[in-house]
Amino acid sequence: MSSADSTETDDVPTKETALETARRQLKRAAGHLDVDPGVIERLRHPNQVHRVSVPLERDDGTTTVYTGYRAQHDSVRGPYKGGLRYHLDVTEDECIGLSMWMTWKCAVMDIPFGGGKGGIVVDPKDLSEEERERLTRRFAEELRPFIGPTKDIPAPDMGTDAQAMAWFMDAYSMQEGETQAGVVTGKPPVVGGSEGRDTAPGRSVAIIAREAIDYLGWDIEDTTVAVQGFGSVGAPAARLLDDYGATVVAVSDVNGAIYDPEGLDTWDVPTHEEEPEAVMKHDVPQKLSNEELLELDVDVLIPAAIGNVLTAENAHDVQAKLIVEGANGPTTSAADAIFEERGIPVIPDILANAGGVTVSYFEWLQDLNHRAWSLERVHEELETEMLRAWEAVRDEVDERDVTWRDAAYIVALQRVAAAHEHRGLWP
Ligand code: NAD
């Protein structure tokens, strides 16, 4: 784990790994708090990282062995929680960094989970549906000793979906000899999934954007919004903000952006799920590139596609007056420093898109209690939880005069550190 042990400097580099970013943010938050340095040192490292070989019998009868990981950062507040990715860029360090983010995301929401993340180094587009099923079932078996409804609860992430979670849960349950729906979240509702889980991260982005708009003293009816990415996060965020009265002037997918200064009818633009990569087919006055969307003269910019899109190269050209992070890690540390200098608030991913893990928590509660909540109840409870977290972060911003990202990390670190201090380090 060589890079995992390297120490970060105070200079903000233009490029860094997810783990380096996670450690930088931990150090910044720790600088504002009086926390035992031993606890901080512990939190710089994951509790455990599991590396497994996952053999797959291909459709042509040959065998390919894939590498899978599960990083478990911290469980002081409850079982590890976080997604499983199928992507060629999955690495051990990336899983560790993302598992640290999950620790903070669960803590800022005050839900009783710690942070985990994992995945397989594979391009899911290279797999048939049958191969994807066999790979997922075998991965569940390889991870079985380390996971479970009270130990570590995976969820979907890039390259995995509700169907993959259903296979994962089935494979785990078959070996355990009983149905254990609570071993993963993000399942289809018919096998213990929750209503509203699929749109929850986008819904929370819209709720937090609405609160931030109000905090800044703007009228949502006079607010313009641009959203990069029209998938599980971007589309529900854009549509809910549209419903709240904001004018969504631009949205995009991987092929480019559509722009109408008068406002788009976001319910008419097909989401990634309704028709993949079809945003550009929509009939609008202007088409733009994704880079141009990020630099549009709008009030609110919501990057909700992929990581590292706001960088030192474009941060000076961003004209938005407020950024709400829908994707995980869309802003590099260097861009963050530029936005801070320019006085542009950036509401961080660990707060804004935390609706996903929050409804995963609701799903887990429903599974353990063998009860299903209505969509209305999920929406109501999500609204309550988001407002509670928003208020905790806003209070830190007001009291300490720090950035929104630092405030969210301060809230999270206070809770995790207090739990560590009460439980103590095993001597
Ligand atoms: P998705 O696959 O449903 O949608 C992604 C969207 O982004 C699509 O419209 C796609 O066309 C577009 N896109 C892909 N590459 C792009 C590029 N290079 N430039 C511009 N657009 C591009 O994915 P999602 O689930 O909405 O996830 C988006 C982000 O949100 C990711 O960073 C993910 O980690 C994060 N996130 C997802 C969830 C969740 O539960 N789905 C929860 C929290 C955070």
Side-chain angles (χ1 to χ4, degrees):
M1 241 205 298
S2 58
S3 59
D5 285 333
S6 67
T7 36
E8 67 283 11
T9 64
D10 285 330
D11 302 330
V12 182
T14 48
K15 268 204 164 73
E16 59 185 4
T17 65
L19 178 57
E20 286 164 342
T21 307
R23 286 183 162 172
R24 174 180 306 283
Q25 288 160 345
L26 169 62
K27 191 176 174 189
R28 268 183 76 121
H32 291 280
L33 298 171
D34 183 20
V35 176
D36 177 350
V39 169
I40 300 298
E41 184 55 25
R42 155 65 197 86
L43 290 169
R44 293 182 72 251
H45 302 270
N47 265 349
Q48 302 173 63
V49 186
H50 305 284
R51 181 183 189 276
V52 294
S53 295
V54 193
L56 169 71
E57 186 182 331
R58 306 300 303 255
D59 290 343
D60 65 6
T62 60
T63 299
T64 308
V65 179
Y66 294 94
T67 301
Y69 297 101
R70 184 68 179 171
Q72 299 176 324
H73 173 247
D74 189 75
S75 64
V76 74
R77 291 168 43 86
Y80 305 103
K81 186 85 193 83
L84 292 176
R85 291 192 163 174
Y86 290 177
H87 199 281
L88 280 178
D89 294 342
V90 167
T91 63
E92 181 174 326
D93 268 12
E94 185 193 62
C95 291
I96 298 170
L98 296 175
S99 71
M100 283 174 80
W101 278 341
M102 286 306 299
T103 300
W104 314 131
K105 197 179 277 194
C106 294
V108 84
M109 292 307 303
D110 211 3
I111 53 184
F113 288 143
K117 197 68 137 198
I120 300 179
V121 190
V122 60
D123 183 352
K125 291 196 197 86
D126 285 348
L127 303 175
S128 69
E129 193 64 353
E130 291 72 24
E131 288 173 334
R132 203 167 70 94
E133 175 172 355
R134 288 199 291 278
L135 185 71
T136 303
R137 288 182 178 278
R138 185 63 197 240
F139 192 31
E141 179 53 20
E142 297 298 337
L143 291 184
R144 196 161 60 89
F146 320 119
I147 60 169
T150 55
K151 273 200 225 170
D152 183 352
I153 307 138
D157 202 277
M158 282 161 65
T160 54
D161 55 12
Q163 178 58 67
M165 293 306 108
W167 292 325
F168 196 100
M169 183 275 271
D170 185 66
Y172 181 88
S173 297
M174 296 290 279
Q175 294 295 338
E176 293 292 307
E178 60 180 12
T179 297
Q180 295 252 3
V183 68
V184 286
T185 58
K187 303 176 295 294
V190 70
V191 286
S194 178
E195 296 296 337
R197 170 63 183 85
D198 46 352
T199 56
R203 176 166 280 269
S204 69
V205 168
I207 293 169
I208 294 297
R210 183 195 69 203
E211 293 305 307
I213 288 166
D214 188 52
Y215 178 85
L216 292 168
W218 305 345
D219 183 348
I220 197 158
E221 301 275 345
D222 300 328
T223 304
T224 55
V225 181
V227 182
Q228 183 187 46
F230 209 61
S232 308
V233 179
R239 287 177 172 178
L240 197 54
L241 281 166
D242 198 354
D243 290 351
Y244 289 154
T247 306
V248 180
V249 295
V251 301
S252 73
D253 66 14
V254 68
N255 299 316
I258 54 174
Y259 175 55
D260 183 344
E262 299 303 316
L264 298 161
D265 179 355
T266 53
W267 289 91
D268 217 26
V269 181
T271 68
H272 188 62
E273 205 184 53
E274 289 160 2
E275 190 186 347
E277 326 298 18
V279 165
M280 293 293 270
K281 287 191 203 156
H282 201 66
D283 186 23
V284 287
Q286 243 178 300
K287 307 264 160 95
L288 305 173
S289 67
N290 263 295
E291 291 70 33
E292 287 169 319
L293 175 141
L294 296 173
E295 295 171 15
L296 273 178
D297 184 8
V298 288
D299 297 310
V300 186
L301 174 64
I302 302 181
I306 52 169
N308 298 327
V309 293
L310 297 170
T311 65
E313 278 82 59
N314 64 7
H316 283 291
D317 299 318
V318 168
Q319 296 186 66
K321 296 164 202 73
L322 166 68
I323 297 167
V324 182
E325 293 186 332
N328 284 324
T331 315
T332 66
S333 297
D336 229 9
I338 295 169
F339 292 134
E340 185 178 357
E341 194 183 286
R342 293 183 59 203
I344 299 173
V346 181
I347 316 286
D349 44 11
I350 61 163
L351 171 65
N353 70 28
V357 73
T358 304
V359 176
S360 274
Y361 169 54
F362 298 165
E363 178 175 334
W364 180 76
L365 289 176
Q366 292 171 67
D367 290 339
L368 297 192
N369 291 292
H370 303 280
R371 289 198 64 180
W373 298 4
S374 67
L375 182 62
E376 292 67 34
R377 176 164 177 198
V378 169
H379 284 174
E380 257 171 49
E381 300 227 9
L382 178 60
E383 173 88 16
T384 306
E385 297 299 332
M386 293 314 304
L387 290 183
R388 207 199 321 252
W390 162 262
E391 281 159 18
V393 174
R394 184 204 57 202
D395 288 351
E396 293 294 341
V397 167
D398 288 344
E399 277 165 33
R400 296 178 191 264
D401 193 22
V402 290
T403 67
W404 288 86
R405 192 181 312 281
D406 285 345
Y409 277 84
I410 288 168
V411 169
L413 179 57
Q414 272 172 336
R415 291 175 178 161
V416 173
H420 271 291
E421 283 173 8
H422 280 289
R423 285 182 61 166
L425 277 181
W426 197 263

